[in-house]
Amino acid sequence: MRRVFVTGIGIISPLGGTLSLNHTALKSGICGITTLELINSNFAGKLPVGEIKIETEVLKEKLKIKRLGLTRNSLLSLHAFADAVDDSQLTVNEITSFDTALIGANTVSGMCLTDELYKDANSKSNGSEYLFSYDGGSVTLAIQEHYGMKGIINTINTACSSSANSIMYGARLIQNGLAKRAIVGGSDSLAKYTINGFNSLYILSDKICRPFDSERKGLNLAEGAAFLVLESEETIGNKKVYAELTGYCNANDAFHPSSLSENADGPFLAMQGALQKANLQPHQIDFINAHGTATENNDEAESKAILRLFNKPPIFASTKSNTGHTLGASGAIEAVYSILNLTHQEVYQSLHYQTPIASTGLVPVKNYTKTPINHVLSNSFGFGGNCSSLIFSKA
Amino acid sequence: MSLFYIHQTVCISPQKTCETIDLDDVQLSKDNKLQAIEPNYDAIPPALFRRMGKAVRLASGAALPLLNTLSFNGIIIGTANGGLEDCIKFLNQIVDYNEGKLTPTNFVQSTTNAVASQLAFFSSNKGYNNTHVHRGLAFENAVLDAAMLLNEFPEHTYLLGGVDEISAYQYNIESLAGSYKTELVLNTDLYNSKTTGSIAGEGCAMFAVNKQKDGATAVLKAIGALHSDNQEEIIQYLTSFITKNGGSANIDLFLSGENGDSRYLPYYKACQNVLPNIPLKRFKHLCGEYATASSFALWLACKEIQHSTLKTILIYNNFRGKQHSFMLVECVK
């Protein structure tokens, strides 16, 4: 199997619109979770969310793309994609080559446009400009069409693990010889739809989220996008290389549509499979970027799975304490943060944590620390039992 | 290299494809819609059944016979929209009740991965589980995923499926977008129509796929897909696809996704012209137009190969003239 390397990164999150802004914020322990402002909703002015404080129209102007039907979700994707290909110094020929794949992921698709969709779906309009922007594929197709990409193009939706799976799919295309490079990632924007959906399940916290704390009250929704340029070892040449993707695994918990099982089989199998793929022993993992949503169910189940797999659990943290939960984008955003752990040989503190969960006693990283990091495990678990883990290693 | 062998298949479609198979007795469209003939769902517990949206129901009905008889290493689904009906039901609640106290059932069922995860719950399948949603190439990407997995794990067997539903809401959105004919056209007259738009369809096709030749129904030899609206580019792609996969001499049926929409007919004609002396068969009058209709075509190709002397079938489909795919299906030699 060919080795797969990361040669470019693009990211926009509540911590900022560039890689360096995200890095600085993580290092300084900045929390990007604020009160909802930009969505016309009863929750505005009240609910804590990880919101990118740039109006959709401004995002559009900044990107200088004049197409109809671009949703906030697509714009976030386009922003991160542009930075990733720039960072990897890909030429137009490389981007449009049959050998370059594009794998996107999202869960909200164009449903961020609640009011337009309501009118279009219920025949209360003559048709908005967004008729072709409501499905998940539309977000990736906005990139494909803008750049005229010709290689394998795909969109994945496995709920909150979506972009971990897009990274995995892209890597497998390279390893199976179906692409030389794959630009992989995902996005999601805040939406009235998901806010009300997660609220109806009683898993939104009305305070800033506290991953792995015994008093955690639920998650904070967030928005963002990240793309990585993955390249086969044969094509990288003398390029700057951030990290190697050495392990990955997708498994299903097969238990419940919206919560993880007591034994956390899905998370356990995903982490175990990723270790096997990377040909690593548990003790070789230096750090875990946990899924850590701060829901009652996730953090306890994830902790149990970690205790099952690791004799002595490695240090771990949840960057959702900085960003909130970016849903379909979180796998890619946290892949970027895992790569920052590797390239800077450091770990960032998990914020808002005080007391361990009684049944597991696990304590996340409490301070910014310089430490040798060779292998980082990044977890993404979603509704429908969809669990995926990735391992990035020092290149 | 062959991608994989197709063993058991189940298809729920607007035609008699499920409990008794009879494609000669063509079921007619109503109001420009071809709705799936649903089987009896006795195997699904009633409490669960009540909560299922149509896409999950169709997929469960098609997958259960396979899940009950075979063991799978994972489940791979292509669906452009999943449970869009549940999605809009929840959206309507948000608007109609002004973000008040809402019931989460529709929300949970609306996630596109609800299909693949429901099948995992049914069968306690903790293996690979993925949902491809890339519009008109959602099923093709699921096929590619299965092919890669079987290259990585040649001893495995996967459940591969494509599903999409017609819902009132989806029909409204697509109608506003001009996807369906505004005049009434029967599916049996679909290819005589000179206007834009097609007729709406839905369905689910499930396949048990692996690398074992013994007992297989058909073999998927190759798949190719392209995003383009440029005819020349598509022809070039098709020509090289055929050359790479044994040439046109072996192909004895061109199974075309022609859908009665005058805007996309030129693409089908152009591809047909690449294979001038090869018999043509079309399938959209049977299943209607939907983003994962190519899964119906693959099922149909398997049946053709099983019940005729045909040896090699080339399926060509395009979605809205922008997403094109080719699948080469062969008999097991």
Short mmCIF file of all heavy atoms in Angstrom, two decimals, chain B residues 10-66:
data_model
loop_
_atom_site.label_atom_id
_atom_site.label_comp_id
_atom_site.label_asym_id
_atom_site.label_seq_id
_atom_site.Cartn_x
_atom_site.Cartn_y
_atom_site.Cartn_z
N VAL B 10 -31.67 -7.79 -4.37
CA VAL B 10 -33.10 -7.53 -4.13
C VAL B 10 -33.39 -6.11 -4.61
O VAL B 10 -32.60 -5.20 -4.35
CB VAL B 10 -33.48 -7.64 -2.63
CG1 VAL B 10 -34.97 -7.37 -2.44
CG2 VAL B 10 -33.12 -9.02 -2.07
N CYS B 11 -34.51 -5.95 -5.29
CA CYS B 11 -34.84 -4.62 -5.79
C CYS B 11 -36.30 -4.30 -5.51
O CYS B 11 -37.19 -5.07 -5.87
CB CYS B 11 -34.56 -4.56 -7.30
SG CYS B 11 -34.94 -2.98 -8.03
N ILE B 12 -36.54 -3.19 -4.84
CA ILE B 12 -37.90 -2.67 -4.68
C ILE B 12 -37.99 -1.46 -5.60
O ILE B 12 -37.20 -0.52 -5.48
CB ILE B 12 -38.18 -2.25 -3.22
CG1 ILE B 12 -38.08 -3.46 -2.30
CG2 ILE B 12 -39.56 -1.61 -3.10
CD1 ILE B 12 -38.24 -3.14 -0.82
N SER B 13 -38.92 -1.53 -6.54
CA SER B 13 -38.99 -0.48 -7.55
C SER B 13 -40.45 -0.24 -7.92
O SER B 13 -41.34 -0.93 -7.42
CB SER B 13 -38.20 -0.92 -8.79
OG SER B 13 -38.99 -1.82 -9.54
N PRO B 14 -40.71 0.68 -8.83
CA PRO B 14 -42.08 0.89 -9.28
C PRO B 14 -42.61 -0.29 -10.11
O PRO B 14 -43.79 -0.32 -10.45
CB PRO B 14 -41.99 2.15 -10.13
CG PRO B 14 -40.75 2.84 -9.65
CD PRO B 14 -39.81 1.75 -9.30
N GLN B 15 -41.74 -1.22 -10.46
CA GLN B 15 -42.16 -2.38 -11.25
C GLN B 15 -42.23 -3.63 -10.36
O GLN B 15 -41.85 -3.60 -9.20
CB GLN B 15 -41.18 -2.60 -12.41
CG GLN B 15 -41.04 -1.40 -13.32
CD GLN B 15 -42.35 -0.96 -13.94
OE1 GLN B 15 -43.18 -1.80 -14.31
NE2 GLN B 15 -42.57 0.35 -14.04
N LYS B 16 -42.67 -4.73 -10.98
CA LYS B 16 -42.73 -5.98 -10.23
C LYS B 16 -41.33 -6.59 -10.18
O LYS B 16 -40.98 -7.44 -11.00
CB LYS B 16 -43.72 -6.93 -10.89
CG LYS B 16 -45.15 -6.43 -10.86
CD LYS B 16 -46.09 -7.42 -11.54
CE LYS B 16 -47.53 -6.98 -11.40
NZ LYS B 16 -48.43 -7.84 -12.22
N THR B 17 -40.52 -6.12 -9.26
CA THR B 17 -39.13 -6.58 -9.19
C THR B 17 -38.83 -7.27 -7.88
O THR B 17 -37.73 -7.77 -7.69
CB THR B 17 -38.16 -5.38 -9.32
OG1 THR B 17 -38.49 -4.40 -8.34
CG2 THR B 17 -38.23 -4.75 -10.69
N CYS B 18 -39.80 -7.27 -6.98
CA CYS B 18 -39.45 -7.71 -5.64
C CYS B 18 -39.98 -9.10 -5.32
O CYS B 18 -39.25 -10.07 -5.38
CB CYS B 18 -39.91 -6.68 -4.62
SG CYS B 18 -39.35 -7.05 -2.97
N GLU B 19 -41.26 -9.22 -4.99
CA GLU B 19 -41.73 -10.54 -4.54
C GLU B 19 -41.86 -11.52 -5.71
O GLU B 19 -41.32 -12.61 -5.65
CB GLU B 19 -43.00 -10.38 -3.70
CG GLU B 19 -42.61 -9.95 -2.27
CD GLU B 19 -43.69 -9.21 -1.52
OE1 GLU B 19 -44.66 -8.74 -2.14
OE2 GLU B 19 -43.56 -9.09 -0.29
N THR B 20 -42.57 -11.10 -6.77
CA THR B 20 -42.49 -11.86 -8.03
C THR B 20 -41.93 -10.91 -9.08
O THR B 20 -42.35 -9.76 -9.17
CB THR B 20 -43.88 -12.33 -8.52
OG1 THR B 20 -44.80 -11.26 -8.29
CG2 THR B 20 -44.34 -13.58 -7.80
N ILE B 21 -41.01 -11.42 -9.84
CA ILE B 21 -40.38 -10.56 -10.85
C ILE B 21 -41.10 -10.73 -12.18
O ILE B 21 -41.21 -11.84 -12.71
CB ILE B 21 -38.88 -10.89 -10.99
CG1 ILE B 21 -38.19 -10.63 -9.64
CG2 ILE B 21 -38.24 -10.06 -12.10
CD1 ILE B 21 -36.73 -11.01 -9.61
N ASP B 22 -41.66 -9.63 -12.71
CA ASP B 22 -42.30 -9.65 -14.02
C ASP B 22 -42.17 -8.27 -14.65
O ASP B 22 -42.96 -7.37 -14.41
CB ASP B 22 -43.78 -10.04 -13.87
CG ASP B 22 -44.48 -10.09 -15.22
OD1 ASP B 22 -43.81 -9.86 -16.26
OD2 ASP B 22 -45.70 -10.34 -15.26
N LEU B 23 -41.15 -8.13 -15.47
CA LEU B 23 -40.90 -6.82 -16.08
C LEU B 23 -41.67 -6.61 -17.37
O LEU B 23 -41.68 -5.51 -17.93
CB LEU B 23 -39.39 -6.63 -16.31
CG LEU B 23 -38.59 -6.40 -15.04
CD1 LEU B 23 -37.11 -6.55 -15.30
CD2 LEU B 23 -38.89 -5.03 -14.44
N ASP B 24 -42.35 -7.68 -17.85
CA ASP B 24 -43.14 -7.52 -19.08
C ASP B 24 -44.44 -6.79 -18.80
O ASP B 24 -44.99 -6.12 -19.65
CB ASP B 24 -43.43 -8.90 -19.69
CG ASP B 24 -42.14 -9.56 -20.14
OD1 ASP B 24 -41.23 -8.81 -20.56
OD2 ASP B 24 -42.01 -10.79 -20.03
N ASP B 25 -44.93 -6.96 -17.58
CA ASP B 25 -46.17 -6.30 -17.19
C ASP B 25 -45.81 -4.91 -16.63
O ASP B 25 -45.78 -4.70 -15.42
CB ASP B 25 -46.85 -7.18 -16.13
CG ASP B 25 -48.14 -6.57 -15.62
OD1 ASP B 25 -48.68 -5.70 -16.30
OD2 ASP B 25 -48.59 -6.96 -14.53
N VAL B 26 -45.56 -3.98 -17.55
CA VAL B 26 -45.04 -2.66 -17.12
C VAL B 26 -46.10 -1.88 -16.34
O VAL B 26 -47.22 -1.67 -16.81
CB VAL B 26 -44.56 -1.83 -18.35
CG1 VAL B 26 -44.13 -0.43 -17.92
CG2 VAL B 26 -43.41 -2.55 -19.05
N GLN B 27 -45.74 -1.50 -15.15
CA GLN B 27 -46.64 -0.70 -14.31
C GLN B 27 -46.58 0.76 -14.76
O GLN B 27 -45.50 1.28 -15.04
CB GLN B 27 -46.23 -0.82 -12.84
CG GLN B 27 -46.18 -2.25 -12.35
CD GLN B 27 -47.54 -2.92 -12.40
OE1 GLN B 27 -48.46 -2.52 -11.71
NE2 GLN B 27 -47.67 -3.94 -13.25
N LEU B 28 -47.73 1.40 -14.82
CA LEU B 28 -47.80 2.74 -15.39
C LEU B 28 -47.57 3.82 -14.35
O LEU B 28 -47.91 3.66 -13.17
CB LEU B 28 -49.16 2.95 -16.05
CG LEU B 28 -49.48 2.01 -17.21
CD1 LEU B 28 -50.85 2.33 -17.79
CD2 LEU B 28 -48.41 2.07 -18.31
N SER B 29 -47.02 4.92 -14.82
CA SER B 29 -46.82 6.08 -13.94
C SER B 29 -48.15 6.77 -13.68
O SER B 29 -49.08 6.69 -14.50
CB SER B 29 -45.83 7.05 -14.58
OG SER B 29 -46.29 7.45 -15.86
N LYS B 30 -48.24 7.42 -12.53
CA LYS B 30 -49.44 8.23 -12.22
C LYS B 30 -48.96 9.64 -11.91
O LYS B 30 -48.07 9.83 -11.09
CB LYS B 30 -50.15 7.66 -11.00
CG LYS B 30 -50.83 6.32 -11.28
CD LYS B 30 -51.73 5.91 -10.12
CE LYS B 30 -52.26 4.49 -10.31
NZ LYS B 30 -51.23 3.46 -10.06
N ASP B 31 -49.56 10.62 -12.56
CA ASP B 31 -49.20 12.03 -12.34
C ASP B 31 -47.70 12.26 -12.48
O ASP B 31 -47.09 12.95 -11.65
CB ASP B 31 -49.66 12.51 -10.95
CG ASP B 31 -51.15 12.30 -10.73
OD1 ASP B 31 -51.89 12.41 -11.72
OD2 ASP B 31 -51.55 12.01 -9.59
N ASN B 32 -47.11 11.65 -13.48
CA ASN B 32 -45.67 11.80 -13.74
C ASN B 32 -44.79 11.28 -12.61
O ASN B 32 -43.66 11.74 -12.43
CB ASN B 32 -45.30 13.26 -14.05
CG ASN B 32 -45.79 13.68 -15.42
OD1 ASN B 32 -46.37 12.87 -16.15
ND2 ASN B 32 -45.56 14.93 -15.78
N LYS B 33 -45.33 10.33 -11.84
CA LYS B 33 -44.53 9.71 -10.79
C LYS B 33 -44.60 8.19 -10.95
O LYS B 33 -45.67 7.64 -11.25
CB LYS B 33 -45.09 10.05 -9.40
CG LYS B 33 -44.91 11.47 -8.98
CD LYS B 33 -45.58 11.70 -7.64
CE LYS B 33 -45.71 13.21 -7.39
NZ LYS B 33 -46.69 13.54 -6.37
N LEU B 34 -43.46 7.56 -10.73
CA LEU B 34 -43.44 6.10 -10.65
C LEU B 34 -43.07 5.78 -9.20
O LEU B 34 -41.93 5.94 -8.79
CB LEU B 34 -42.39 5.53 -11.61
CG LEU B 34 -42.86 5.25 -13.04
CD1 LEU B 34 -41.66 5.01 -13.96
CD2 LEU B 34 -43.82 4.07 -13.11
N GLN B 35 -44.07 5.34 -8.45
CA GLN B 35 -43.83 5.08 -7.02
C GLN B 35 -43.54 3.60 -6.82
O GLN B 35 -44.10 2.73 -7.49
CB GLN B 35 -45.06 5.46 -6.21
CG GLN B 35 -45.53 6.88 -6.55
CD GLN B 35 -45.75 7.74 -5.31
OE1 GLN B 35 -45.20 7.48 -4.25
NE2 GLN B 35 -46.57 8.76 -5.45
N ALA B 36 -42.69 3.32 -5.88
CA ALA B 36 -42.27 1.94 -5.63
C ALA B 36 -43.45 1.08 -5.16
O ALA B 36 -44.32 1.55 -4.43
CB ALA B 36 -41.18 1.92 -4.57
N ILE B 37 -43.47 -0.16 -5.63
CA ILE B 37 -44.43 -1.14 -5.12
C ILE B 37 -43.78 -1.75 -3.88
O ILE B 37 -42.77 -2.45 -3.98
CB ILE B 37 -44.69 -2.26 -6.16
CG1 ILE B 37 -45.17 -1.64 -7.48
CG2 ILE B 37 -45.69 -3.27 -5.62
CD1 ILE B 37 -45.25 -2.65 -8.62
N GLU B 38 -44.35 -1.45 -2.74
CA GLU B 38 -43.68 -1.87 -1.51
C GLU B 38 -44.12 -3.28 -1.11
O GLU B 38 -45.29 -3.64 -1.25
CB GLU B 38 -43.97 -0.86 -0.40
CG GLU B 38 -43.42 0.51 -0.77
CD GLU B 38 -43.42 1.48 0.39
OE1 GLU B 38 -42.79 1.18 1.41
OE2 GLU B 38 -44.05 2.55 0.26
N PRO B 39 -43.19 -4.08 -0.65
CA PRO B 39 -43.53 -5.45 -0.24
C PRO B 39 -44.21 -5.43 1.12
O PRO B 39 -44.35 -4.37 1.72
CB PRO B 39 -42.15 -6.10 -0.13
CG PRO B 39 -41.24 -4.98 0.26
CD PRO B 39 -41.79 -3.75 -0.41
N ASN B 40 -44.62 -6.59 1.61
CA ASN B 40 -45.09 -6.56 2.99
C ASN B 40 -43.86 -6.57 3.88
O ASN B 40 -42.84 -7.18 3.59
CB ASN B 40 -46.09 -7.70 3.26
CG ASN B 40 -45.42 -9.01 3.63
OD1 ASN B 40 -44.51 -9.03 4.46
ND2 ASN B 40 -45.87 -10.08 3.02
N TYR B 41 -43.97 -5.80 4.93
CA TYR B 41 -42.79 -5.57 5.78
C TYR B 41 -42.91 -6.34 7.09
O TYR B 41 -42.50 -5.86 8.13
CB TYR B 41 -42.66 -4.08 6.07
CG TYR B 41 -42.29 -3.21 4.87
CD1 TYR B 41 -43.22 -2.38 4.28
CD2 TYR B 41 -40.98 -3.20 4.37
CE1 TYR B 41 -42.87 -1.55 3.21
CE2 TYR B 41 -40.63 -2.37 3.30
CZ TYR B 41 -41.57 -1.55 2.73
OH TYR B 41 -41.23 -0.73 1.68
N ASP B 42 -43.50 -7.55 7.03
CA ASP B 42 -43.76 -8.31 8.26
C ASP B 42 -42.52 -8.50 9.13
O ASP B 42 -42.62 -8.61 10.34
CB ASP B 42 -44.34 -9.69 7.91
CG ASP B 42 -45.75 -9.56 7.40
OD1 ASP B 42 -46.30 -8.42 7.49
OD2 ASP B 42 -46.30 -10.55 6.88
N ALA B 43 -41.36 -8.54 8.50
CA ALA B 43 -40.14 -8.83 9.26
C ALA B 43 -39.68 -7.65 10.11
O ALA B 43 -38.83 -7.80 10.97
CB ALA B 43 -39.03 -9.24 8.30
N ILE B 44 -40.28 -6.47 9.88
CA ILE B 44 -39.85 -5.29 10.65
C ILE B 44 -40.78 -5.10 11.85
O ILE B 44 -42.01 -5.04 11.67
CB ILE B 44 -39.87 -4.02 9.77
CG1 ILE B 44 -39.02 -4.25 8.51
CG2 ILE B 44 -39.37 -2.81 10.56
CD1 ILE B 44 -39.09 -3.13 7.49
N PRO B 45 -40.23 -5.01 13.06
CA PRO B 45 -41.09 -4.80 14.25
C PRO B 45 -41.94 -3.54 14.08
O PRO B 45 -41.42 -2.49 13.67
CB PRO B 45 -40.07 -4.62 15.38
CG PRO B 45 -38.79 -5.20 14.89
CD PRO B 45 -38.81 -5.07 13.40
N PRO B 46 -43.26 -3.65 14.37
CA PRO B 46 -44.19 -2.54 14.12
C PRO B 46 -43.77 -1.22 14.76
O PRO B 46 -43.90 -0.16 14.13
CB PRO B 46 -45.51 -3.02 14.74
CG PRO B 46 -45.38 -4.50 14.78
CD PRO B 46 -43.93 -4.83 14.91
N ALA B 47 -43.24 -1.26 15.98
CA ALA B 47 -42.87 0.00 16.66
C ALA B 47 -41.77 0.72 15.87
O ALA B 47 -41.78 1.93 15.73
CB ALA B 47 -42.39 -0.28 18.07
N LEU B 48 -40.86 -0.05 15.33
CA LEU B 48 -39.76 0.48 14.54
C LEU B 48 -40.30 0.98 13.20
O LEU B 48 -39.94 2.05 12.71
CB LEU B 48 -38.74 -0.64 14.33
CG LEU B 48 -37.33 -0.28 13.91
CD1 LEU B 48 -36.70 0.64 14.95
CD2 LEU B 48 -36.49 -1.56 13.79
N PHE B 49 -41.19 0.16 12.61
CA PHE B 49 -41.72 0.44 11.29
C PHE B 49 -42.43 1.78 11.23
O PHE B 49 -42.27 2.55 10.29
CB PHE B 49 -42.68 -0.69 10.89
CG PHE B 49 -43.21 -0.57 9.49
CD1 PHE B 49 -42.38 -0.84 8.42
CD2 PHE B 49 -44.51 -0.18 9.25
CE1 PHE B 49 -42.84 -0.72 7.12
CE2 PHE B 49 -44.99 -0.05 7.96
CZ PHE B 49 -44.16 -0.33 6.89
N ARG B 50 -43.19 2.09 12.30
CA ARG B 50 -43.95 3.34 12.33
C ARG B 50 -43.05 4.56 12.24
O ARG B 50 -43.42 5.58 11.70
CB ARG B 50 -44.77 3.42 13.63
CG ARG B 50 -46.13 2.74 13.53
CD ARG B 50 -47.04 3.19 14.67
NE ARG B 50 -46.50 2.87 15.99
CZ ARG B 50 -46.63 1.69 16.58
NH1 ARG B 50 -47.27 0.70 15.97
NH2 ARG B 50 -46.13 1.48 17.78
N ARG B 51 -41.86 4.46 12.80
CA ARG B 51 -40.96 5.61 12.82
C ARG B 51 -40.15 5.77 11.52
O ARG B 51 -39.52 6.79 11.31
CB ARG B 51 -39.99 5.47 14.02
CG ARG B 51 -40.47 6.21 15.25
CD ARG B 51 -39.49 6.09 16.38
NE ARG B 51 -39.83 4.99 17.26
CZ ARG B 51 -38.98 4.04 17.64
NH1 ARG B 51 -37.74 4.05 17.22
NH2 ARG B 51 -39.37 3.09 18.46
N MET B 52 -40.18 4.74 10.68
CA MET B 52 -39.31 4.78 9.50
C MET B 52 -39.84 5.70 8.41
O MET B 52 -41.00 5.63 8.06
CB MET B 52 -39.21 3.38 8.89
CG MET B 52 -38.35 2.44 9.66
SD MET B 52 -38.33 0.85 8.80
CE MET B 52 -37.12 0.01 9.81
N GLY B 53 -38.97 6.51 7.86
CA GLY B 53 -39.31 7.24 6.65
C GLY B 53 -39.25 6.29 5.46
O GLY B 53 -38.79 5.15 5.59
N LYS B 54 -39.69 6.76 4.29
CA LYS B 54 -39.81 5.85 3.16
C LYS B 54 -38.47 5.28 2.70
O LYS B 54 -38.37 4.08 2.42
CB LYS B 54 -40.49 6.56 2.00
CG LYS B 54 -40.96 5.61 0.91
CD LYS B 54 -41.80 6.36 -0.11
CE LYS B 54 -42.51 5.40 -1.05
NZ LYS B 54 -43.31 6.14 -2.05
N ALA B 55 -37.44 6.12 2.65
CA ALA B 55 -36.14 5.64 2.17
C ALA B 55 -35.62 4.52 3.08
O ALA B 55 -35.13 3.49 2.61
CB ALA B 55 -35.13 6.79 2.10
N VAL B 56 -35.75 4.72 4.38
CA VAL B 56 -35.29 3.70 5.33
C VAL B 56 -36.15 2.43 5.19
O VAL B 56 -35.64 1.31 5.22
CB VAL B 56 -35.37 4.24 6.79
CG1 VAL B 56 -34.99 3.16 7.79
CG2 VAL B 56 -34.46 5.46 6.96
N ARG B 57 -37.45 2.65 4.95
CA ARG B 57 -38.37 1.52 4.79
C ARG B 57 -38.02 0.70 3.54
O ARG B 57 -37.90 -0.52 3.59
CB ARG B 57 -39.77 2.10 4.65
CG ARG B 57 -40.88 1.17 5.01
CD ARG B 57 -42.14 1.99 5.20
NE ARG B 57 -42.66 2.53 3.94
CZ ARG B 57 -43.23 3.73 3.82
NH1 ARG B 57 -43.33 4.53 4.87
NH2 ARG B 57 -43.69 4.14 2.66
N LEU B 58 -37.85 1.39 2.41
CA LEU B 58 -37.50 0.70 1.16
C LEU B 58 -36.19 -0.06 1.32
O LEU B 58 -36.07 -1.24 0.92
CB LEU B 58 -37.35 1.71 0.00
CG LEU B 58 -38.59 2.48 -0.46
CD1 LEU B 58 -38.19 3.51 -1.52
CD2 LEU B 58 -39.65 1.54 -0.99
N ALA B 59 -35.21 0.59 1.94
CA ALA B 59 -33.90 -0.05 2.10
C ALA B 59 -33.99 -1.23 3.05
O ALA B 59 -33.37 -2.28 2.82
CB ALA B 59 -32.88 0.96 2.61
N SER B 60 -34.78 -1.09 4.10
CA SER B 60 -34.93 -2.20 5.04
C SER B 60 -35.61 -3.38 4.36
O SER B 60 -35.20 -4.54 4.51
CB SER B 60 -35.76 -1.76 6.26
OG SER B 60 -35.13 -0.67 6.90
N GLY B 61 -36.66 -3.07 3.59
CA GLY B 61 -37.39 -4.13 2.89
C GLY B 61 -36.49 -4.87 1.91
O GLY B 61 -36.56 -6.09 1.76
N ALA B 62 -35.61 -4.13 1.24
CA ALA B 62 -34.74 -4.76 0.25
C ALA B 62 -33.56 -5.48 0.92
O ALA B 62 -33.10 -6.52 0.44
CB ALA B 62 -34.21 -3.71 -0.72
N ALA B 63 -33.10 -4.94 2.05
CA ALA B 63 -31.88 -5.51 2.65
C ALA B 63 -32.17 -6.69 3.57
O ALA B 63 -31.33 -7.59 3.68
CB ALA B 63 -31.15 -4.42 3.44
N LEU B 64 -33.34 -6.70 4.24
CA LEU B 64 -33.57 -7.74 5.23
C LEU B 64 -33.43 -9.17 4.71
O LEU B 64 -32.81 -10.01 5.36
CB LEU B 64 -34.93 -7.54 5.93
CG LEU B 64 -34.86 -6.55 7.10
CD1 LEU B 64 -36.25 -6.23 7.63
CD2 LEU B 64 -33.98 -7.08 8.23
N PRO B 65 -33.98 -9.46 3.51
CA PRO B 65 -33.79 -10.83 3.00
C PRO B 65 -32.31 -11.20 2.88
O PRO B 65 -31.95 -12.36 3.07
CB PRO B 65 -34.46 -10.80 1.62
CG PRO B 65 -35.37 -9.63 1.63
CD PRO B 65 -34.81 -8.64 2.61
N LEU B 66 -31.47 -10.22 2.57
CA LEU B 66 -30.03 -10.50 2.44
C LEU B 66 -29.39 -10.58 3.82
O LEU B 66 -28.59 -11.49 4.10
CB LEU B 66 -29.35 -9.42 1.60
CG LEU B 66 -29.88 -9.24 0.17
CD1 LEU B 66 -29.15 -8.11 -0.53
CD2 LEU B 66 -29.70 -10.53 -0.62
#
